[in-house]
């Protein structure tokens, strides 16, 4: 049996990933601050949800110390972890950023995925196959003015995937994958940015105006195809658009 854990599962790409997995008959454990109504056709136990603020690392640590994760994966033969939750703020140059937002972004974008990956590897030790997908960003590999925190935290996910791949743990494949530019609430947040703090605001607004944003359902389908495919993890830090071209 395949089972999946998805963070930030209640909106945007996370909701689309959850729907895609459930549509393929894969039970999902969703971790988010808000709940998601189970999609039509899903079995009563297909979607388990736990309300967690993933930027609160002590609370996440307490939850991971409990029985839920191990219990969910107990009958899995193929286990998946998708670290999707993330935040864009703070946007703006260094020296003018809000300290609380910096701390929250580092904890949500980087701290939570590292804690979850560690707990997942331990809880899935019995599984012949287990895979970790960090949802990364082109900002991990290309610096953008005003996005210092976002770029740094996404780059951290890439390096975690590279280093973990070198551990060569039995049955484990890992990749930090940039999914392309997707039509999600985060993109609306980008378009609403003050150009004084994010000089490329007009470029991202044009992507929406010109219909160049990928629908979440399309991105989710391609991500799950790759996650379940034979080449997943061949390149620990990659871009989904590269994979789609192969």
């Amino acid at each position: 049996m395949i089972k999946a854990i998805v963070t930030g599962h209640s909106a945007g790409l996370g909701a689309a990933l959850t729907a895609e997995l459930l549509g393929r008959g894969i039970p999902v454990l969703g971790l988010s601050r808000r709940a998601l109504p189970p999609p039509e056709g899903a079995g009563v136990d297909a979607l388990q949800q736990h309300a967690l603020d993933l930027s609160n690392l002590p609370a996440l640590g307490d939850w991971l110390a409990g029985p839920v994760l191990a219990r969910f994966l107990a009958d899995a033969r193929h286990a998946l972890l998708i670290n999707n939750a993330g935040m864009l703020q703070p946007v703006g140059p260094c020296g003018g950023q809000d300290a609380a937002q910096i701390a929250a972004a580092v904890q949500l974008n980087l701290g939570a995925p590292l804690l979850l990956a560690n707990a997942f590897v331990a809880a899935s030790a019995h599984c012949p196959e287990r895979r970790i997908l960090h949802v990364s960003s082109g900002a991990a590999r290309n610096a953008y003015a005003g996005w210092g925190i976002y770029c740094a935290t996404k780059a951290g996910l890439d390096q975690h995937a590279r280093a973990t791949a070198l551990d060569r743990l039995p049955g484990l494949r890992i990749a930090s994958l940039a999914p392309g530019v997707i039509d999600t609430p985060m993109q609306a947040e980008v378009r609403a940015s003050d150009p004084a703090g994010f000089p490329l605001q007009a470029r991202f607004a044009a992507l929406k105006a010109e219909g160049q944003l990928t629908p979440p359902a399309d991105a989710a389908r391609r991500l799950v195809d790759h996650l379940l495919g034979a080449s997943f993890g061949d390149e620990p830090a990659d871009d989904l658009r590269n994979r789609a071209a192969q």
Side-chain angles (χ1 to χ4, degrees):
M1 173 183 285
I2 305 176
K3 286 193 165 183
I5 298 100
V6 181
T7 69
H9 77 291
S10 63
L13 178 61
L17 284 165
T18 298
E20 180 69 24
L21 290 162
L22 292 173
R24 299 187 190 209
I26 299 173
V28 173
L29 173 62
L31 307 178
S32 183
R33 287 178 298 172
R34 293 175 294 275
L36 176 73
E40 289 186 19
V44 66
D45 296 322
L47 176 60
Q48 297 182 35
Q49 305 186 77
H50 289 264
L52 281 175
D53 178 358
L54 295 171
S55 68
N56 184 338
L57 296 191
L60 175 58
D62 288 344
W63 185 85
L64 289 172
V68 176
L69 184 62
R71 186 183 299 150
F72 178 74
L73 293 175
D75 59 348
R77 298 284 293 168
H78 189 158
L80 311 172
L81 169 63
I82 303 177
N83 281 314
N84 163 76
M87 62 184 290
L88 177 66
Q89 298 298 329
V91 172
C94 188
Q97 298 164 347
D98 180 78
Q101 286 187 336
I102 292 173
V106 171
Q107 292 179 95
L108 177 61
N109 294 356
L110 186 57
L114 268 56
L115 283 175
L116 283 158
N118 184 65
F120 170 82
V121 169
S124 64
H126 64 284
C127 296
E129 291 210 33
R130 54 255 183 86
R131 299 186 176 190
I132 297 173
L133 168 61
H134 295 324
V135 177
S136 185
S137 168
R141 294 143 225 169
N142 301 287
Y144 296 111
W147 279 15
I149 304 304
Y150 188 71
C151 290
T153 53
K154 290 299 185 180
L157 292 180
D158 285 8
Q159 284 295 81
H160 178 262
R162 292 184 178 110
T164 301
L166 293 175
D167 291 335
R168 303 190 186 282
L169 297 172
L172 180 68
R173 298 177 70 83
I174 184 169
S176 186
L177 195 66
V181 188
I182 305 169
D183 196 2
T184 63
M186 183 178 285
Q187 278 299 311
E189 188 179 351
V190 171
R191 295 191 297 275
S193 297
D194 182 349
F198 180 52
L200 290 179
Q201 184 272 343
R203 172 182 160 189
F204 281 82
L207 291 175
K208 174 69 170 179
E210 295 166 4
Q212 296 186 43
L213 300 182
T214 303
D218 290 351
R221 174 182 49 77
R222 287 162 47 207
L223 276 168
V224 174
D225 281 346
H226 181 51
L227 176 59
L228 298 176
S231 66
F232 179 79
D234 287 354
E235 176 53 60
D238 204 357
D239 190 303
L240 183 62
R241 289 165 290 194
N242 296 336
R243 291 290 156 181
Q246 294 178 0

